[in-house]
Amino acid sequence: MRKAGVLMPVSALPSRTGAGELGKVAFHFINLLKKNHVKIWQILPLNPVGYGNSPYQPYSSCAGDELYISLELLAEEGLLKEKPEEFQPDVKKVDYDAVRRFREPYLREAFAEFSRKKGQEEAAYKEFAEQSWVYEYGVFRALKMANNGNCWNDWPEEDRTWPENRHALSAEVEAEAQYQMFLQYLFYTQWMAVKTAANEAGIEIMGDVPFYVGQDSVDVWGGKDNFLLDTDGRPIFIAGVPPDYFSATGQRWGNPIYDWDHMKEKNYQFWVDRIGYSNKLFDIIRIDHFRAFDTYWKIPSTCPTAIDGEWIEAPGYEVIDTLQEKLPGLNLVAEDLGELRPEVLVLKDHYHLKGMKILVFSIETGGKYARDTFHDVENMIFYTGTHDNDTVMEWYGKMTCASRRKLRHLLKSHGVKQGSVKDRFLEYTLSNQAEYAIIPMADILGLGGEGHMNTPGTIGSPNWEWHLPDFAQAEKELWKFGNLICKTHRF
């Protein structure tokens, strides 16, 4: 079945408190998608963002960011005395630090009330807290706070090695760990309510799982044997990609490299646990940097750039076989963008996974005529763009007049003749034979550079900060988008 989807980060949802929440605005967004025949809501990773506010450098593969907890719902549930006042409403950028400072007292108040009511003794909370990752994550965040927010491999030895020695915690650290566990319970219950509402509306949630985990994460701290680390817990090799379209020196991500030999001895349980938990949260799982299941770029940690490295083969078939055996019904899609060796596509096709086509990468305008260079198939996802590249109108705006004219002629030759240039891009994407056509919300709105989410190879502001101030324009543009979905028979 051909479906249309929208890529919209939770952080970018309109909010009265500075960043997207899992409250009423999320349910309103689901209703807008349903009303306009959208069947897939794709999001970015929901995990607690780490360095540079990047969702691809999270503190945990399982935990959710407390930033998204709806304070309004906590007030309605009686965990807050009153509904919080507005804070930075209608902003077009998320100020992560300011939003966290604003929310923190309310979350502390909610925890105090939850404790007073002995919520920890409720069956639902107990069941959640008994999951192996929850307490370990709580301790990780508590020790991180006790160590001034430093990366765990800069902590005192007894804290660095807590997962192995499980020494007794101080009362203060234990209390903080319990608070962090409470936040995870709030996040999980609110997120699952959003997911249930989406599914009941006929909408699937496509989550995003980065191939690698962050160095400063509970995944590495609590599972050191799964990574190539020195005796101090520092990476010997790090992940990235060699020089490419985005960067002349490559991308040096800094994530630690997996110890695949050890993982094989454990029957890839790390991956089963990681993907298995994501499978509870999402209907479809997008594997970011899927190509690393085939070969990955291994950079010595002493190298200042990603130029010096080597491609190493990964046990992709063994891992995916194990995942499919242990997790029946698992629905994976592969981010297979960039320069790839043919074996990556063979691996993807072996498991009938959907790959990806990006409009702004597939159109060539250098010749006499513009042409679409991508070999289209049904079993793929067609995007105008992703969170990592220019919006479609930003891309169009950088073209020469001649290139724009050739591009409009290409659209016309495919029967796409009416509407604004932006709407013609959307119609061209939706008309494709690809089973899924997914459009970033910034492209539905026709935004230029102000809607650009992230620039690979750069860190910090303005990356990850784009925010929708309200739904006024979105409602109008989603209605037009819904008409295009009907016109292209994607409903």
Side-chain angles (χ1 to χ4, degrees):
M1 180 179 176
R2 296 167 76 248
K3 299 178 180 180
V6 171
L7 169 57
M8 178 63 168
V10 172
S11 62
L13 288 171
S15 171
R16 52 191 301 280
T17 56
E21 295 184 342
L22 300 174
K24 293 180 180 178
V25 290
F27 295 101
H28 181 60
F29 185 65
I30 288 168
N31 288 333
L32 286 177
L33 298 183
K34 178 184 178 181
K35 186 164 64 174
N36 293 295
H37 317 294
V38 175
K39 298 298 184 184
I40 299 171
W41 177 11
Q42 181 178 339
I43 59 175
L44 298 182
L46 294 172
N47 313 108
V49 300
Y51 187 55
N53 293 317
S54 170
Y56 294 91
Q57 291 281 355
Y59 291 141
S60 168
S61 290
C62 295
D65 199 319
E66 62 271 18
L67 186 83
Y68 306 132
I69 294 171
S70 170
L71 302 181
E72 189 173 0
L73 291 184
L74 298 187
E76 292 179 1
E77 293 165 10
L79 291 176
L80 297 178
K81 294 176 184 176
E82 56 188 10
K83 186 167 115 176
E85 297 181 0
E86 289 188 344
F87 176 77
Q88 296 186 346
D90 309 324
V91 294
K92 295 183 179 181
K93 296 285 184 181
V94 176
D95 184 338
Y96 285 88
D97 291 340
V99 171
R100 291 188 192 283
R101 287 194 298 270
F102 169 78
R103 291 172 182 253
E104 180 73 6
Y106 293 104
L107 295 174
R108 296 279 177 184
E109 177 188 337
F111 179 57
E113 183 65 12
F114 181 77
S115 300
R116 188 187 69 79
K117 292 180 176 179
K118 299 191 182 300
Q120 295 95 327
E121 298 177 9
E122 297 293 330
Y125 181 80
K126 283 184 175 180
E127 182 181 357
F128 175 81
E130 284 171 0
Q131 296 176 96
S132 60
W133 69 268
V134 177
Y135 182 61
E136 189 169 71
Y137 174 76
V139 173
F140 174 79
R141 289 298 299 268
L143 288 175
K144 189 170 182 63
M145 175 178 284
N147 286 284
N148 301 313
N150 292 329
C151 182
W152 66 265
N153 49 25
D154 290 324
W155 298 350
E157 183 179 359
E158 67 171 3
D159 293 346
R160 279 203 320 270
T161 59
W162 185 89
E164 293 82 41
N165 60 45
R166 299 270 169 162
H167 67 77
L169 301 171
S170 69
E172 184 179 5
V173 170
E174 179 63 35
E176 180 64 21
Q178 295 297 321
Y179 168 64
Q180 294 294 334
M181 293 168 66
F182 164 72
L183 295 183
Q184 289 310 304
Y185 177 67
L186 292 182
F187 171 86
Y188 177 79
T189 53
Q190 290 190 1
W191 170 251
M192 292 308 290
V194 169
K195 180 181 181 296
T196 297
N199 292 165
E200 290 176 350
I203 297 167
E204 295 176 290
I205 302 288
M206 184 188 294
D208 197 323
V209 174
F211 182 84
Y212 291 111
V213 300
Q215 166 66 15
D216 191 15
S217 70
V218 67
D219 303 84
V220 182
W221 175 70
K224 302 177 185 71
D225 290 344
N226 291 312
F227 304 88
L228 298 177
L229 309 175
D230 65 19
T231 54
D232 291 327
R234 302 180 191 280
I236 302 170
F237 299 95
I238 55 174
V241 290
D244 60 8
Y245 169 86
F246 291 111
S247 173
T249 58
Q251 297 176 43
R252 187 185 186 278
W253 298 332
N255 309 72
I257 295 289
Y258 294 119
D259 185 339
W260 287 113
D261 291 337
H262 174 79
M263 286 186 166
K264 182 173 183 176
E265 291 175 6
K266 300 298 182 180
N267 201 25
Y268 304 108
Q269 192 62 43
F270 174 90
W271 280 95
V272 173
D273 292 342
R274 189 172 181 233
I275 300 298
Y277 191 74
S278 293
N279 204 33
K280 294 180 183 179
L281 304 181
F282 314 121
D283 303 297
I284 307 166
I285 297 174
R286 172 190 181 271
I287 301 293
D288 188 68
H289 196 54
F290 175 83
R291 66 126 333 124
F293 273 126
D294 171 66
T295 46
Y296 56 93
W297 191 241
K298 185 179 180 182
I299 308 164
S301 59
T302 54
C303 295
T305 72
I307 293 176
D308 296 321
E310 60 178 332
W311 288 112
I312 306 294
E313 290 192 359
Y317 288 94
E318 290 183 6
V319 177
I320 300 175
D321 282 345
T322 302
L323 291 175
Q324 292 193 338
E325 176 190 348
K326 301 287 187 180
L327 305 170
L330 181 65
N331 188 357
L332 300 177
V333 298
E335 183 273 293
D336 58 345
L337 306 174
E339 295 182 6
L340 308 174
R341 70 176 196 158
E343 287 85 348
V344 179
L345 304 181
V346 173
L347 174 66
K348 178 199 70 175
D349 292 341
H350 178 80
Y351 295 100
H352 307 290
L353 306 182
K354 287 180 173 60
M356 300 180 180
K357 170 183 176 177
I358 309 297
L359 175 66
V360 301
F361 291 159
S362 67
I363 302 295
E364 293 282 352
T365 60
K368 184 176 181 180
Y369 301 103
R371 61 193 184 96
D372 192 331
T373 63
F374 198 93
H375 174 65
D376 291 341
V377 295
E378 291 182 4
N379 191 37
M380 72 175 188
I381 309 173
F382 190 12
Y383 295 85
T384 48
T386 74
H387 60 273
D388 274 342
N389 52 256
D390 290 351
T391 67
V392 72
M393 292 309 295
E394 184 181 13
W395 168 71
Y396 182 73
K398 292 178 179 178
M399 288 183 177
T400 64
C401 291
S403 291
R404 291 183 201 173
R405 187 165 54 249
K406 286 185 275 188
L407 181 51
R408 292 193 298 270
H409 184 270
L410 173 68
L411 297 175
K412 186 176 181 180
S413 70
H414 282 78
V416 182
K417 305 174 183 178
Q418 298 178 333
S420 66
V421 171
K422 181 266 293 185
D423 287 336
R424 279 181 270 170
F425 282 135
L426 302 192
E427 182 177 344
Y428 178 78
T429 304
L430 293 170
S431 298
N432 192 276
Q433 63 179 299
E435 289 183 12
Y436 297 172
I438 298 180
I439 314 294
M441 192 66 207
D443 283 347
I444 292 174
L445 293 167
L447 300 181
E450 70 275 19
H452 196 125
M453 195 66 178
N454 177 57
T455 301
T458 66
I459 297 172
S461 184
N463 291 335
W464 314 113
E465 293 177 353
W466 175 70
H467 184 258
L468 190 63
D470 57 59
F471 278 127
Q473 189 63 26
E475 291 188 4
K476 297 176 184 177
E477 296 299 335
L478 281 170
W479 178 79
K480 290 165 61 180
F481 185 57
N483 288 337
L484 289 176
I485 291 173
C486 293
K487 181 178 179 180
T488 55
H489 307 289
R490 279 194 180 271
F491 64 100

